[in-house]
């Protein structure tokens, strides 16, 4: 079967997590760059990547990569791409996003305009038509410039992959589903271990953890723009990928995943979101402040996204709040804690230095993932058969 190069963007600092995910799906990674991973696969890979990848923001079919320092070079580079191979005569095509970093061409609107003109020029010649109705399937294009190199991709996902479809209700500053998944994957947590999020908000950490524990693919209950690309992808490939995802689900397992929040309305929203995700039976949500965080068992995990005070009046409350977090963690016997925050003085008020501190960009916001790993539980004795 014919193979293609696919681009999967992700949060800056989490490329290694996405690379591992892609390799676990069985595909070869050809390039890892800041904020994106390129891999090789057939059209089956396109469907499976959209449905199974937890940490990618979207999946793009790479159609061109070339250097362009002038608009003439951009025009010729785009025109040289065999667009007729991807877009049918009635296809709707437009540049949905253009970004530029450290490049001579930096105006997104001008880049978008030139790309569209060059595409029209090429397709007019190939299809021998003067104009396009564009009333068929959608083929959105994304182009990124970095140091004058243009990377052109067809967006196969449409709506960003962090929108799993379950989160109808959100908190004031929710963590995205893709980022939550990636952070959980950076910890040694597995589905048979205890996990508590004392600042669960709309429930993203507990829900993503429960979906992992039950092997529920993140994209199996949503739609993708490439489902309509019947000229490129046989419908059967999408059915096969969803069938594979259904076969893997194990939602009759036992878990100890808990989410607390001081706001009862947020707890109610989290329960509703968990129900939409099909994992409400795997999570215990409760209205409870972090000061009341307790658990009788050892070797659990706290994975959380506490407030970090974007407004001045909130900032004043942070020292006391982070002291409470530190005191609550001290009461937990042999637990691990993993905490993402933009609060620079977190370690000071938690009362301990993190074993690791990973810088992660949450959008344009610089945050830190503080890691306090606890001891590993003793190995269970082997059962003689």
């Amino acid at each position: 079967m014919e193979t293609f190069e696919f681009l999967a963007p992700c949060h800056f600092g989490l490329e290694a997590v996405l690379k591992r995910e892609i390799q676990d799906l069985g595909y070869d990674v050809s390039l890892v760059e800041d904020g994106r991973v390129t891999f090789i696969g057939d059209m089956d890979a396109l469907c499976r990547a959209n449905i199974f990848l937890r940490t990618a923001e979207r999946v793009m079919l790479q159609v061109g990569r070339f250097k362009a320092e002038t608009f003439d070079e951009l025009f010729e580079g785009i025109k040289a791409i065999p667009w007729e191979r991807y877009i049918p005569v009635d296809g709707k095509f437009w540049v949905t996003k253009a970004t530029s970093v450290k490049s001579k061409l930096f105006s997104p609107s001008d880049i978008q305009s030139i790309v569209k003109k060059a595409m029209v020029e090429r397709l007019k010649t190939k299809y021998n038509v003067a104009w396009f109705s564009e009333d068929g399937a959608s083929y959105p294009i994304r182009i990124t410039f970095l140091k004058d190199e243009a990377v052109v991709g067809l967006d196969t996902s449409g709506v960003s992959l962090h929108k799993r479809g379950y989160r109808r209700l959100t908190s004031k500053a929710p963590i995205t589903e893709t980022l939550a998944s990636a952070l959980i994957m950076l910890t040694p947590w597995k589905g048979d271990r205890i996990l508590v999020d004392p600042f669960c908000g709309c429930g993203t950490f507990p829900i993503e953890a429960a979906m992992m524990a039950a092997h529920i693919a993140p994209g199996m209950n949503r739609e993708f723009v490439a489902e309509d690309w019947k000229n490129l992808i046989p419908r059967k490939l999408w059915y096969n990928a969803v069938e594979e995802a259904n076969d893997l689900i194990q939602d009759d397992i036992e878990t100890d995943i808990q989410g607390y929040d001081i706001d009862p309305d947020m707890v109610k929203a989290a329960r509703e979101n968990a129900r939409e995700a099909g994992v409400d039976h795997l999570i215990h949500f409760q209205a409870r402040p972090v000061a009341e965080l307790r658990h009788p068992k050892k070797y659990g995990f706290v994975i959380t996204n506490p407030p970090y005070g974007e407004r001045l009046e909130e900032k004043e409350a942070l020292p006391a709040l982070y002291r409470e977090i530190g005191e609550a963690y001290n009461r937990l016997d042999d637990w691990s804690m993993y905490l993402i925050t933009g609060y620079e003085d977190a370690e000071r008020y938690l009362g301990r230095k993190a074993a690791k501190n990973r810088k992660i960009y949450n959008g344009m916001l610089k945050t830190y993932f503080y890691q306090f790993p606890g001891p590993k539980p003793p190995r269970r004795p082997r059962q003689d058969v």
Side-chain angles (χ1 to χ4, degrees):
M1 196 177 276
E2 187 180 6
T3 59
F4 303 86
E5 275 200 306
F6 298 104
L7 280 168
C10 63
H11 283 272
F12 282 96
L14 297 173
E15 299 83 2
V17 184
L18 176 56
K19 178 186 176 182
R20 190 169 70 238
E21 259 206 294
I22 291 166
Q23 289 172 331
D24 286 347
L25 272 184
Y27 304 114
D28 290 329
V29 169
S30 55
L31 187 62
V32 178
E33 301 166 281
D34 285 347
R36 66 187 178 201
V37 179
T38 306
F39 64 100
I40 311 292
D42 53 20
M43 284 302 175
D44 185 47
L46 183 158
C47 303
R48 293 182 72 236
N50 271 299
I51 287 168
F52 285 101
L53 290 179
R54 298 183 190 277
T55 64
E57 294 303 309
R58 60 186 67 249
V59 177
M60 294 193 293
L61 170 58
Q62 182 176 298
V63 295
R65 191 184 273 257
F66 56 88
K67 200 161 181 74
E69 297 182 356
T70 66
F71 284 122
D72 282 344
E73 288 175 345
L74 173 61
F75 186 92
E76 294 304 324
I78 294 294
K79 194 177 168 188
I81 293 169
W83 292 105
E84 64 282 358
R85 181 184 178 192
Y86 310 107
I87 302 173
V89 68
D90 66 343
K92 181 184 179 185
F93 57 97
W94 75 103
V95 184
T96 182
K97 189 161 188 187
T99 58
S100 178
V101 178
K102 297 177 182 173
S103 299
K104 293 180 180 66
L105 301 180
F106 56 84
S107 163
S109 58
D110 288 335
I111 292 168
Q112 286 169 301
S113 174
I114 295 289
V115 170
K116 175 78 178 190
K117 280 179 189 168
M119 289 177 70
V120 168
E121 198 69 30
R122 166 95 188 195
L123 291 173
K124 267 165 60 174
T125 306
K126 293 296 175 180
Y127 287 129
N128 198 25
V129 295
W131 68 282
F132 295 94
S133 60
E134 298 198 46
D135 53 5
S138 294
Y139 296 80
I141 294 108
R142 288 177 171 251
I143 180 166
T144 60
F145 272 90
L146 176 61
K147 296 179 181 174
D148 299 316
E149 183 185 55
V151 177
V152 189
L154 279 168
D155 178 9
T156 75
S157 306
V159 175
S160 173
L161 292 180
H162 81 264
K163 293 187 182 290
R164 318 285 206 217
Y166 67 74
R167 200 162 76 175
R168 306 293 169 89
L169 304 158
T170 64
S171 52
K172 185 174 63 178
I175 193 165
T176 67
E177 295 87 333
T178 45
L179 179 54
S181 278
L183 295 178
I184 294 169
M185 288 181 190
L186 282 172
T187 79
W189 180 81
K190 293 287 179 283
D192 60 349
R193 306 280 296 275
I194 303 159
L195 186 152
V196 178
D197 179 1
F199 299 93
C200 74
C202 57
T204 310
F205 270 129
I207 292 169
E208 290 295 318
M211 288 175 72
M212 286 181 200
H215 301 288
I216 297 172
M220 62 181 297
N221 292 315
R222 53 157 286 169
E223 296 176 340
F224 309 96
V225 71
E227 287 180 64
D228 293 328
W229 297 0
K230 295 179 179 66
N231 61 315
L232 287 174
I233 310 165
R235 194 79 188 167
K236 187 172 182 288
L237 296 184
W238 290 105
Y239 295 143
N240 289 347
V242 171
E243 194 176 321
E244 179 189 356
N246 270 313
D247 289 344
L248 290 171
I249 294 173
Q250 299 174 6
D251 64 353
D252 56 350
I253 54 169
E254 283 188 22
T255 57
D256 190 346
I257 300 172
Q258 302 179 31
Y260 306 147
D261 201 279
I262 200 165
D263 182 350
D265 288 337
M266 274 293 97
V267 172
K268 190 177 172 185
R271 283 199 191 106
E272 187 59 41
N273 289 338
R275 198 173 298 116
E276 287 286 340
V279 294
D280 51 312
H281 62 296
L282 300 176
I283 309 169
H284 172 68
F285 288 109
Q286 192 177 348
R288 186 195 283 197
V290 69
E292 293 177 20
L293 172 57
R294 285 174 181 80
H295 200 289
K297 293 184 179 175
K298 296 164 72 115
Y299 308 117
F301 285 76
V302 172
I303 304 178
T304 193
N305 173 38
Y308 32 95
E310 289 304 289
R311 292 201 293 268
L312 188 61
E313 63 271 22
E314 291 172 342
K315 267 191 166 58
E316 291 167 0
L318 292 182
L321 178 65
Y322 279 74
R323 274 196 206 98
E324 280 188 338
I325 297 170
E327 288 163 6
Y329 178 50
N330 287 338
R331 289 193 298 271
L332 296 166
D333 193 8
D334 288 335
W335 278 47
S336 304
M337 180 166 70
Y338 294 84
L339 180 148
I340 184 169
T341 179
Y343 184 41
E344 302 271 355
D345 289 328
E347 287 173 306
R348 176 183 169 193
Y349 293 108
L350 287 169
R352 62 176 66 211
K353 187 91 175 149
K356 282 185 182 175
N357 174 10
R358 195 179 187 117
K359 190 191 296 181
I360 292 165
Y361 280 87
N362 185 2
M364 297 305 291
L365 192 65
K366 184 169 69 174
T367 60
Y368 302 91
F369 191 46
Y370 293 102
Q371 302 171 53
F372 304 91
K376 292 179 180 175
R379 287 192 175 183
R380 292 172 185 162
R382 285 179 61 182
Q383 300 290 324
D384 292 327
V385 180

